[in-house]
């Protein structure tokens, strides 16, 4: 039984009901005086409570996909096999539609609960677009991470067959999953509706989790001697996507967004790696990475620890380091979320050439209903920052010469 399957939930619920029934049936026997009876009462109550909590946890995890498998729950993470470091020989223009070459950095994956997501495009891909379930294999880090990739209708249309597309990477919070991004945050559904209505240019949306070593929260940090999350998201992921999809190669076509710790990660990546991501939208983020019980020691020890910590303190970076030429959006509710003062301080600290925008509703909470309201304006804002790639996929002739196709500029936005 899979951790997220309905069978597991039903079995745990039935087991909890049996424990409650046994407790009621056996209670008269434990009502007598004596040490054995007292210990029996404590054991019966404790066992029943543990099973009930486990049943509730299984239901909650099945609904929100915090952990996708038993292996993730107990820290057993899939790693890449040796030799999966090379892309195909197609010049980086192939797709994973149908059958990827063995060892490619982006490969077709299992369902990953995609079938449970409502509102996904159906019918002809050239009319409605498509969402693919894939796994991304990090060439440098050896990380294997599941992802959902939304491809807009134009991606499959003849007029765009040699055109590259801008990319927005959407990151889940901790210990969230790509299911949360697709079902609860409705990233691809919202982007598809905006693009269909002309409020957003055709854009590839990549939904991925930054939790590459579950159950540990690595906060998009390259942990000394541990998971290299920043390298995976800032180097492995873009390289993999560029090798498998027709996406822009210049940073001006790349943005990253996220909620909660995923929003913190989006800011970190954009300010620390502006040569990769030039635009970020952060919903309810933190502005400084610090150790806590879920992260363990993120910065190691020794004389370089303070320097590494400062490097992930965005307020410190704005004060002491050159400001990158990037655009960021931050969202925080004035009432109902605790991070509003820190968000205001961050906004005031930003200086040219960096640009900052904000979504500051009067009321909200640190939850999906609030973030769902913020996603449409965040995506429309990102659309205005990202450029539609003007580089076309080269057409290879028999003698090896490459000729770029004309760009179909009639329907593009810069």
């Amino acid at each position: 039984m899979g951790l997220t399957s309905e069978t597991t939930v039903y079995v745990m619920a039935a087991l909890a009901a049996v424990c409650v029934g046994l407790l009621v049936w056996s209670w008269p026997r434990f009502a007598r005086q004596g040490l054995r009876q007292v210990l029996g009462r404590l054991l019966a109550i404790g066992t029943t409570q543990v099973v009930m909590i486990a049943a509730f946890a299984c239901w909650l995890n099945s609904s929100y996909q915090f952990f996708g498998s038993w292996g993730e729950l107990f820290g057993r993470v899939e790693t890449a096999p040796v030799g999966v470091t090379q892309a195909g020989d197609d010049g980086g223009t192939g797709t994973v539609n149908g059958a990827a070459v063995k060892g490619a950095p982006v490969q077709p994956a299992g369902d990953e609960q995609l079938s449970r997501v409502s509102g996904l495009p159906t019918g002809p891909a050239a009319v409605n677009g498509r969402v693919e379930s894939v796994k991304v294999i990090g060439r440098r880090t050896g990380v294997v991470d599941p992802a959902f990739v939304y491809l807009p209708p134009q991606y499959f249309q003849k007029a765009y067959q040699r055109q590259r597309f801008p990319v927005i990477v959407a990151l889940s919070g901790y210990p969230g999953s790509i299911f949360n991004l697709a079902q609860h945050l409705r990233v691809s559904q919202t982007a598809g509706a905006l693009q269909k209505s002309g409020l957003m240019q055709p854009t590839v949306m990549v939904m991925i989790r930054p939790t590459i070593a579950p159950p540990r929260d690595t906060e998009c940090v390259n942990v000394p001697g541990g998971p290299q999350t920043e390298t995976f998201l800032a180097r492995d992921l873009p390289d993999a996507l560029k090798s498998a999809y027709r996406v822009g190669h210049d940073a001006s076509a790349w943005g990253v967004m996220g909620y909660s710790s995923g929003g913190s990660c989006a800011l970190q990546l954009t300010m620390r790696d502006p040569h990769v991501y030039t635009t970020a939208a952060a919903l309810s983020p933190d502005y400084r990475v610090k150790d806590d019980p879920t992260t363990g020691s993120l910065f190691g020890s020794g004389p370089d620890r303070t320097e590494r910590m400062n490097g992930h303190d965005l307020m410190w970076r704005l004060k002491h380091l050159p400001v990158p030429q990037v655009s960021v959006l931050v969202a925080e509710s004035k009432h109902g979320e605790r991070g509003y003062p820190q968000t205001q301080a961050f906004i005031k600290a930003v200086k040219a050439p960096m640009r900052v925008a904000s979504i500051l509703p009067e009321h909200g909470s640190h939850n999906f209903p609030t973030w769902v309201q913020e996603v449409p304006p965040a995506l429309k804002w990102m659309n205005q920052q990202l450029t539609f790639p003007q580089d076309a996929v080269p057409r290879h002739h028999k003698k090896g010469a490459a000729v770029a196709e004309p760009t179909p500029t009639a329907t593009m936005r810069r």
Side-chain angles (χ1 to χ4, degrees):
M1 295 183 296
L3 179 60
T4 60
S5 70
E6 292 185 355
T7 302
T8 301
V9 175
Y10 292 146
V11 168
M12 291 302 300
L15 187 59
V18 169
C19 286
V20 171
L22 289 174
L23 178 64
V24 173
W25 175 78
S26 62
W27 191 255
R29 299 186 179 185
F30 296 139
R32 303 170 186 173
Q33 298 296 324
L35 179 61
R36 294 179 59 183
Q37 285 73 20
V38 172
L39 292 177
R41 288 198 294 269
L42 292 176
L43 179 62
I45 293 173
T47 301
T48 302
Q49 289 182 333
V50 168
V51 174
M52 291 177 65
I53 292 173
F56 175 76
C58 283
W59 169 81
L60 191 65
N61 185 70
S62 179
S63 298
Y64 290 94
Q65 300 288 300
F66 299 121
F67 300 99
S69 67
W70 294 105
E72 286 186 12
L73 180 63
F74 294 108
R76 297 192 299 272
V77 184
E78 182 183 5
T79 57
V82 175
V84 292
T85 60
Q86 299 297 324
D89 297 327
D90 58 358
T93 62
T95 70
V96 297
N97 308 331
V101 177
K102 182 179 180 181
V106 178
Q107 301 179 11
D111 181 73
E112 293 291 344
Q113 305 297 317
L114 186 62
S115 60
R116 295 179 54 191
V117 178
S118 61
L120 295 180
T122 58
V127 177
N128 301 315
R130 183 165 70 200
V131 177
E132 298 183 340
S133 175
V134 302
K135 60 181 178 180
V136 179
I137 302 174
R139 179 170 66 86
R140 300 169 183 84
T141 60
V143 170
V144 180
D145 211 17
F148 294 151
V149 179
Y150 166 77
L151 302 172
Q154 290 83 354
Y155 190 91
F156 304 96
Q157 295 172 6
K158 186 175 181 179
Y160 290 83
Q161 65 182 352
R162 294 195 176 277
Q163 180 62 46
R164 301 188 188 275
F165 291 79
V167 183
I168 294 178
V169 175
L171 303 173
S172 63
Y174 174 81
S177 66
I178 55 177
F179 177 81
N180 288 347
L181 291 166
Q183 175 65 14
H184 300 296
L185 201 64
R186 306 191 70 75
V187 169
S188 58
Q189 299 91 321
T190 303
L194 291 173
Q195 293 174 34
K196 188 174 183 179
S197 61
L199 298 176
M200 184 177 175
Q201 61 192 343
T203 303
V204 173
M205 306 293 299
V206 180
M207 293 159 274
I208 198 165
R209 59 180 188 181
T211 308
I212 64 170
R216 186 179 185 183
D217 179 14
T218 54
E219 291 282 347
C220 292
V221 172
N222 280 346
V223 181
Q228 303 294 289
T229 313
E230 183 177 4
T231 296
F232 175 73
L233 293 172
R235 302 187 68 184
D236 284 346
L237 176 63
D239 286 353
L241 294 173
K242 290 172 185 177
S243 75
Y245 295 101
R246 301 196 316 274
V247 295
H249 284 201
D250 190 81
S252 63
W254 284 74
V256 57
M257 68 180 299
Y259 65 89
S260 191
S261 63
S264 306
C265 186
L267 290 178
Q268 293 278 342
L269 288 170
T270 303
M271 293 182 64
R272 289 176 56 86
D273 301 280
H275 58 288
V276 179
Y277 301 101
T278 56
T279 303
L283 314 181
S284 306
D286 290 322
Y287 303 94
R288 179 168 67 95
V289 176
K290 56 184 178 180
D291 294 344
D292 64 35
T294 66
T295 65
S297 177
L298 292 174
F299 306 105
S301 57
D304 296 334
R305 174 179 168 82
T306 299
E307 181 181 351
R308 288 192 288 266
M309 291 177 64
N310 287 338
H312 288 276
D313 184 337
L314 300 186
M315 297 297 290
W316 186 93
R317 295 184 68 90
L318 288 173
K319 184 176 181 180
H320 294 94
L321 298 180
V323 176
Q325 188 172 348
V326 296
S327 299
V328 300
L329 178 146
V330 291
E332 193 84 25
S333 301
K334 297 179 181 179
H335 304 284
E337 293 191 85
R338 63 182 182 180
Y340 182 71
Q342 290 77 15
T343 295
Q344 286 288 76
F346 176 80
I347 293 172
K348 293 178 182 178
V350 171
K351 53 190 175 184
M354 184 174 172
R355 296 184 297 172
V356 62
S358 60
I359 300 174
L360 304 172
E362 285 293 329
H363 299 278
S365 299
H366 198 82
N367 58 24
F368 284 110
T370 297
W371 298 324
V372 165
Q373 293 180 345
E374 296 167 347
V375 166
L379 286 177
K380 286 189 285 187
W381 175 84
M382 295 186 78
N383 168 74
Q384 296 170 358
Q385 316 308 313
L386 299 176
T387 60
F388 202 110
Q390 297 304 300
D391 54 324
V393 177
R395 182 178 60 196
H396 296 276
H397 290 250
K398 292 183 179 180
K399 294 183 179 181
V403 180
E405 290 289 327
T407 300
T409 56
T411 57
M412 293 183 190
R413 296 183 58 184
R414 293 295 304 275

